[in-house]
Amino acid sequence: MKIEIRADSVLIDGYVNAVERDSKVLHNANGPFVEKIKAGTFQRSLDRSKKTGYDVKVLLNHDYSKELTSTRDASTKIYEDNIGLRCQCEIQDAEVIKKAREGKLVGWSFGFIPIRDSWEKESDISHRELRELELKEVSILDDRKKPAYSGTSIETRDDDIIELRSMDDKMETVDLTEEKKKDNYKFRNRILATRASI
């Protein structure tokens, strides 16, 4: 996940989930399983959302009361490429900007309703392939949530069972606010002054 901090917004860009890749071991009521989301699954869901007028939301920590943006906003792009589901968005929420400055944003997660999948049992673990799903939301996670694609949780919303997933991610934060630029400028001038006095 790449985070670019500006004076009054945060630009966030990263992969929410990879396609055609086995997850770590997940758990449900039937025991442990490994999951793979087939290529094209996310894009078909996004295409259906466009046709029906459903906006895929960008939330903080899967909290529907904390909608940050959605696919109806021109500055938000959610799409599938050859790697997986990617989200690029501009967030103007003060809490998220503060958490970004403090290094408290830790990754992505997403909530979905499975539509078509297949299961195979191999030894002690099941394998699931997701071929169709309804993407409900993608979430930016803060340090209260730990993205690890190593667990699964399920919540009920409007009588739909929504599965939640998250994935490990590397964080890269760039602060472009004027205050930070001034700090960098002062630091660079101190270095130059030190060198000049040697």
Side-chain angles (χ1 to χ4, degrees):
M1 175 187 281
K2 183 176 180 182
I3 302 169
E4 192 175 287
I5 304 167
R6 300 187 172 184
D8 59 353
S9 67
V10 179
L11 299 179
I12 301 178
D13 180 2
Y15 285 95
V16 180
N17 191 265
V19 294
E20 298 293 344
R21 185 184 302 172
D22 284 343
S23 68
K24 293 181 182 177
V25 177
L26 305 169
H27 297 273
N28 65 13
N30 298 319
F33 68 99
V34 172
E35 180 176 84
K36 180 189 292 182
I37 298 176
K38 299 297 287 178
T41 301
F42 287 118
Q43 194 58 53
R44 284 191 298 277
S45 177
L46 291 164
D47 292 344
R48 278 193 307 273
S49 293
K50 258 186 215 172
K51 287 178 185 173
T52 61
Y54 178 80
D55 299 316
V56 178
K57 295 160 180 35
V58 178
L59 308 175
L60 180 62
N61 295 329
H62 301 290
D63 183 352
Y64 279 80
S65 71
K66 198 67 178 171
E67 182 178 332
L68 305 171
T69 185
S70 77
T71 50
R72 75 176 167 269
D73 298 324
S75 65
T76 299
K77 307 273 187 275
I78 301 175
Y79 59 94
E80 180 183 329
D81 63 16
N82 62 339
I83 295 171
L85 181 65
R86 186 171 183 175
C87 182
Q88 299 169 316
C89 58
E90 182 176 5
I91 306 298
Q92 296 178 332
D93 180 83
E95 180 184 3
V96 173
I97 295 168
K98 182 174 186 289
K99 286 176 183 291
R101 283 197 177 112
E102 295 170 351
K104 292 184 176 178
L105 299 181
V106 296
W108 289 104
S109 184
F110 67 102
F112 69 98
I113 298 171
I115 297 173
R116 187 164 58 95
D117 59 10
S118 61
W119 291 85
E120 289 182 13
K121 182 86 170 172
E122 289 180 16
S123 62
D124 295 337
I125 195 160
S126 294
H127 290 260
R128 178 192 202 186
E129 280 193 351
L130 273 159
R131 292 186 173 86
E132 295 294 336
L133 58 78
E134 183 182 343
L135 182 64
K136 302 300 280 183
E137 51 92 2
V138 298
S139 280
I140 298 165
L141 302 181
D142 66 18
D143 58 348
R144 293 173 293 166
K145 301 274 187 179
K146 295 293 179 194
Y149 208 119
S150 58
T152 179
S153 58
I154 297 176
E155 66 178 39
T156 303
R157 175 163 293 285
D158 301 330
D159 297 324
D160 288 326
I161 294 176
I162 299 176
E163 297 187 35
L164 307 178
R165 299 287 187 274
S166 56
M167 181 175 91
D168 289 322
D169 202 359
K170 293 179 183 174
M171 305 302 295
E172 179 187 337
T173 303
V174 178
D175 194 335
L176 299 176
T177 58
E178 287 303 315
E179 185 176 301
K180 199 65 175 177
K181 284 182 191 173
K182 287 177 188 172
D183 289 344
N184 291 339
Y185 181 75
K186 288 177 190 172
F187 178 73
R188 188 173 62 91
N189 283 345
R190 275 200 308 269
I191 298 253
L192 292 172
T194 304
R195 286 181 183 158
S197 65
I198 294 176

